[in-house]
Amino acid sequence: MQKTKSEEDVKDVYIKALGLKGFSKNLIDIQTKEVWFEAKANGKWSFYEMFTQLLHYVQVALNKGEEVPALLCVVDTDKAAIMQTDHVIPFLAKKTIKWGKSASEVPKPAVDAISAHIGTHFVAFKIENDELEFIETLKDAIKSGKIVRNQITPDNLKQVFDKWVEMIGQEVQGVHSEEYNLLFFADIMHDGKVSTHQDLTAELLFRNGDPVFLLAGKIHKLDTHEGYRKFWTHWDRPPRNEYRNYILERRDNLIPLDERIFKGAFYTPLHVVDKSYDLLTFTLGKRWQQKYKVWDMCCGVGNLEVKHSNPRNLFMSTLDQSDVDIMVATKTCVAAHRFQYDYLNDDITKSGNIDYSLTNKVPQDLRDAIALGEKIVILINPPYAEAMNAGTGVATTAVGKTMGEDVGYARRELFIQFLLRIKKEIPNAIVAIFSKLKYVNAPNFGEFREQWTPKYLGGFVVHSQAFDGLKGEFPIGFLIWNTGKKRKGALEIETEVLNRNAEAIGAKRFYDVPRTALVNTWIKRAKPNDIPALPLINAFDPKPGTKDVRGSRWADGGLGGMICKGSDFQNSRTVALMSSGYASAGGILVTENNFREAAIVFTA
C-alpha cells in the first residue's frame, strides 16, 4: 500500500489482497455481486464521508429498482470499514437525504444525516494493525452475506465486559471504575440508532459521528476511538432479544468484588428463588402473596420478586439508584413500589429511633402498613460483609452505631444489622432471609441469639456455589422466622438440604451449642512461655509471611499441638498431634496438664 500513487493503485491492491472475482471498476470504484467499494488514494476522507458517497450510488440504484449488494465497503491507504446494506435500506427508503448533484459531491448536511444513522453499524479497521483481520472478516462476510460477529450472551457476559473495560471503559474521560458497568450496558443495549431500553442510568450518544456517554447529566468523551471500533469488530449488538433483560439483571456480576460484598450484590439464581417461593407458600399458605405486604430492602435489580404474582403488594428498595433504573428499564415488577433507600443509614436518628420524615423516601402505603401492624413479610438476600473491628468499615453504619449494643461481636455483620433494625421497626414481621448460618450456631453470635428470639417456621440450606461470585464452599440458608412469636428453649432448627442445582438431597439440624460445651473451651489452654516455636498453618506446613502470626511460642511441659478447624466434633476429626511446635489460629497447645482431654478429642 505504501507504493500506491493513485486511486487506481489502491483499488488494485485491495482486489489482489481480497482475491475478488468477477469484479468491475466503473462509477462504483469496485463492484461485485456481493459487495460495492468506495476507494480513496489517501487517508484524508472520513469513514462517514466515504460511506455517504457510496450510499449515493445505493440510493440511485434503489430509485431505479436495481439490485444492490449485501455489503458495502470503504477503503483507503490507511483504513477500511464494512457495513451491511440492510442496515441502511430502510433509512434510505425515506428519501430525506439532500444529496449533491453527483456522488462525488458530499454535502455536509448529507454527511451529518448519514453519520447519525450508521453510527455503530459499520466495522472499522486500521490497515497497519488489522490488515489480516479485515481480509478475513470481509471474506467471511462475502460467503455468508452478512458481517459475522460474536453474540453477547449471559454465558460470556463477564468476559465481554472485561474486554470492554480494557478497550473502551478506560478511554472514557471522567468516569470512575465502579461506573463502567453502567456505560457498558448503555453501549451494548444500543443498535447504533436507538437504545433497546429506555431509562437506563447512562446513555450512548453520537457527536459528529463519535460515541460519547451521558451519565448524571454530564457528557463523557473517549480519549481515543480505535479501541471502540476494534471492540465492535468482534461483537454483535444489541444482544438477542431473549437475553437482554437477563443480562441487565446480571449487573451484580460486573461490580467489583469488594463493592459487591458490601452491597450484597450477588444474584440469587432463579431456580433457588423458585424453591424459596415454594417454601413460603407451604409455610404461610397458598394466598400469602395476597395477604401479606412484602418489603425487600436490598432488592438489587429485583430478581427475588420476579416470581411474585401480586406486585402491588411489593415494596422494593435498594442502595443504588442505578438498580432502580435497571428495574424501570427492564419493566421488572412495574406495579411495585420501587425506590432508592439506604436501609442501614436512612431515617435513623442519633438516638437510634426511626423517623421517616428525615428522607421521605419510604412510600406512605408502607409507613401506614407498619404503623397499623399489618401482615408484612421481609424477603431479603442482604450483604454478608463483616467489619474486622468494632467501629470500623461496615460497622460504622447508623444502625451499627445506634442499635444492638447488647449483641456484642454480631453487630459487625451487615446482615445482622438488617435484622436489628427490622426487630425495632417491624417487630411482628415474618422474616424470610438468605444468609450464612453464623447467627444460628456461631459462638461469637451467642449474645445476638439471646436478644433475637423469633419462632423458626422452616427453611432450607443450599450450596454456596449455586450463587455466582461467592468464593469457598459453605451453606447458604433460606430461613423463615416469625418475629411476633418467641421461641421456647435453646435454638435448634431442621432444614432441607439442597445441592447447587437446588435439588433436595437430605436434611440437617443446626444447634445453638453453649460455649462451655465447645471443644476449644473444654480443653484447658496452656499459657505460652518465651521459648520460640515454629508457627504452622496446619499440622505440617509452616506459616508463610509475617502477617497475623500466631502460635510462635512454646509452653512449659509442652508435648505437641492440636489443630481443630471448627468447634463441632465432625470437624475435630481433622486434628493432629505434633512432635513439636504449636498450631496457629484454631490450634491448641498440648501439654502434660491437658493431654487427657486432648487425647479424648483426638480419638473421637
Side-chain angles (χ1 to χ4, degrees):
M1 191 65 73
Q2 295 176 350
K3 298 179 180 179
T4 57
K5 296 180 179 180
S6 67
E7 190 172 294
E8 288 300 315
D9 292 339
V10 173
K11 296 178 191 178
D12 292 339
V13 169
Y14 277 100
I15 289 170
K16 181 178 180 180
L18 294 167
L20 297 178
K21 306 293 183 182
F23 62 86
S24 61
K25 294 191 290 184
N26 299 302
L27 286 175
I28 299 170
D29 289 331
I30 308 172
Q31 186 174 5
T32 73
K33 182 179 179 181
E34 300 85 5
V35 58
W36 288 357
F37 291 80
E38 177 64 32
K40 298 297 178 186
N42 55 57
K44 295 181 180 180
W45 288 61
S46 71
F47 285 125
Y48 300 99
E49 290 171 327
M50 289 193 284
F51 270 121
T52 299
Q53 186 169 343
L54 186 55
L55 287 173
H56 190 131
Y57 293 120
V58 175
Q59 181 76 78
V60 171
L62 292 174
N63 292 345
K64 294 180 178 180
E66 296 175 351
E67 187 176 356
V68 295
L71 302 165
L72 303 172
C73 186
V74 296
V75 296
D76 63 22
T77 54
D78 302 322
K79 58 187 182 293
I82 314 167
M83 182 168 60
Q84 290 178 208
T85 311
D86 58 9
H87 287 317
V88 292
I89 286 180
F91 175 66
L92 296 178
K94 298 177 182 179
K95 297 184 178 181
T96 56
I97 303 296
K98 296 181 179 179
W99 303 102
K101 294 181 179 180
S102 66
S104 59
E105 293 185 16
V106 187
K108 188 176 184 303
V111 175
D112 291 343
I114 294 294
S115 300
H117 179 79
I118 66 176
T120 59
H121 286 313
F122 65 86
V123 182
F125 304 86
K126 191 172 182 179
I127 298 303
E128 181 180 358
N129 302 321
D130 308 322
E131 175 186 348
L132 295 179
E133 190 175 349
F134 163 68
I135 293 172
E136 182 180 345
T137 301
L138 185 55
K139 285 184 175 181
D140 289 343
I142 289 173
K143 290 178 183 178
S144 63
K146 61 181 181 180
I147 301 171
V148 181
R149 286 182 273 194
N150 297 317
Q151 291 289 320
I152 299 173
T153 71
D155 293 332
N156 62 22
L157 181 63
K158 186 63 167 63
Q159 170 196 353
V160 176
F161 174 71
D162 290 343
K163 184 61 67 174
W164 184 94
V165 169
E166 177 186 340
M167 301 178 70
I168 300 175
Q170 295 177 357
E171 296 292 327
V172 182
Q173 301 171 0
V175 173
H176 298 294
S177 59
E178 60 266 24
E179 297 171 319
Y180 285 158
N181 65 88
L182 305 176
L183 305 188
F184 173 73
F185 285 138
D187 202 10
I188 69 171
M189 295 298 175
H190 201 286
D191 67 0
K193 184 179 180 182
V194 296
S195 175
T196 61
H197 291 74
Q198 302 300 314
D199 302 313
L200 289 177
T201 306
E203 186 177 357
L204 174 67
L205 305 172
F206 290 90
R207 296 288 175 88
N208 297 321
D210 293 327
V212 297
F213 292 96
L214 177 64
L215 179 64
K218 295 182 179 179
I219 293 292
H220 299 273
K221 299 179 181 179
L222 278 69
D223 286 329
T224 65
H225 299 97
E226 183 175 352
Y228 191 90
R229 300 296 182 199
K230 195 166 185 178
F231 178 86
W232 288 116
T233 298
H234 294 283
W235 301 101
D236 195 23
R237 66 173 173 185
R240 291 176 182 170
N241 188 55
E242 63 266 30
Y243 295 149
R244 293 173 190 171
N245 283 356
Y246 180 77
I247 284 175
L248 286 172
E249 291 165 4
R250 292 315 317 270
R251 173 178 175 262
D252 65 286
N253 200 36
L254 308 182
I255 298 174
L257 183 59
D258 56 348
E259 186 181 351
R260 293 174 67 192
I261 292 171
F262 175 74
K263 294 181 177 179
F266 290 96
Y267 180 87
T268 311
L270 293 182
H271 63 290
V272 178
V273 175
D274 279 334
K275 288 292 185 179
S276 67
Y277 272 70
D278 290 344
L279 183 60
L280 284 164
T281 300
F282 177 78
T283 305
L284 303 179
K286 292 183 178 180
R287 292 183 54 79
W288 74 272
Q289 297 184 44
Q290 284 69 45
K291 294 180 179 178
Y292 289 85
K293 288 183 167 59
V294 176
W295 187 8
D296 182 351
M297 57 278 295
C298 42
C299 71
V301 293
N303 67 301
L304 259 183
E305 285 69 45
V306 294
K307 301 291 184 178
H308 203 285
S309 61
N310 188 19
R312 295 186 184 280
N313 272 2
L314 288 176
F315 296 86
M316 302 163 64
S317 60
T318 179
L319 183 63
D320 285 340
Q321 179 61 40
S322 55
D323 285 337
V324 178
D325 295 339
I326 288 176
M327 286 190 286
V328 172
T330 57
K331 296 180 173 59
T332 300
C333 302
V334 174
H337 304 266
R338 302 166 299 189
F339 57 105
Q340 185 278 327
Y341 195 67
D342 184 350
Y343 191 72
L344 299 184
N345 289 294
D346 284 346
D347 292 335
I348 300 173
T349 67
K350 292 182 179 180
S351 59
N353 293 317
I354 311 298
D355 181 358
Y356 298 124
S357 67
L358 293 178
T359 67
N360 285 316
K361 293 180 181 179
V362 175
Q364 189 62 47
D365 287 351
L366 181 54
R367 298 190 204 185
D368 293 342
I370 293 172
L372 295 172
E374 294 184 19
K375 293 182 177 180
I376 298 176
V377 170
I378 305 299
L379 178 61
I380 52 173
N381 184 5
Y384 305 153
E386 172 188 355
M388 295 303 295
N389 298 292
T392 64
V394 300
T396 60
T397 66
V399 170
K401 290 178 180 178
T402 63
M403 300 181 192
E405 296 87 350
D406 49 359
V407 302
Y409 180 95
R411 192 166 47 150
R412 302 181 189 180
E413 281 276 355
L414 279 186
F415 83 88
I416 293 296
Q417 293 182 20
F418 276 85
L419 295 178
L420 290 173
R421 174 167 171 177
I422 291 167
K423 177 176 179 289
K424 185 180 185 98
E425 183 176 19
I426 317 173
N428 296 312
I430 300 295
V431 175
I433 178 174
F434 283 94
S435 70
K436 294 181 179 180
L437 296 172
K438 292 180 179 182
Y439 72 122
V440 175
N441 61 358
N444 285 336
F445 288 70
E447 292 169 298
F448 172 75
R449 288 189 290 274
E450 292 176 2
Q451 303 298 323
W452 200 73
T453 58
K455 182 180 179 180
Y456 175 67
L457 301 182
F460 61 76
V461 292
V462 62
H463 200 291
S464 61
Q465 294 303 302
F467 294 75
D468 290 348
L470 288 180
K471 295 185 177 180
E473 298 191 30
F474 51 89
I476 296 292
F478 177 72
L479 308 182
I480 304 175
W481 309 88
N482 185 345
T483 64
K485 295 184 178 181
K486 304 297 183 183
R487 69 169 181 267
K488 297 179 180 180
L491 180 59
E492 177 182 334
I493 67 172
E494 181 173 323
T495 68
E496 187 176 32
V497 179
L498 310 179
N499 62 17
R500 67 190 65 193
N501 298 317
E503 299 165 339
I505 57 174
K508 183 174 176 62
R509 286 184 179 273
F510 295 87
Y511 305 87
D512 176 13
V513 179
R515 288 188 178 184
T516 55
L518 299 176
V519 171
N520 62 355
T521 56
W522 180 58
I523 300 177
K524 298 174 184 177
R525 286 186 175 271
K527 185 177 181 180
N529 58 28
D530 294 331
I531 300 174
L534 180 65
L536 304 174
I537 58 173
N538 54 41
F540 306 103
D541 299 321
K543 177 176 176 59
T546 58
K547 185 178 180 181
D548 193 27
V549 176
R550 306 182 191 182
S552 60
R553 291 292 182 268
W554 195 234
D556 296 340
L559 300 175
M562 185 177 74
I563 300 290
C564 183
K565 284 189 175 181
S567 296
D568 62 337
F569 273 95
Q570 181 179 2
N571 281 336
S572 70
R573 297 177 191 277
T574 63
V575 302
L577 289 175
M578 303 183 303
S579 59
S580 65
Y582 169 55
S584 61
I588 298 171
L589 184 62
V590 181
T591 69
E592 295 170 348
N593 294 328
N594 64 12
F595 179 78
R596 182 175 179 275
E597 293 97 327
I600 292 172
V601 173
F602 179 72
T603 55

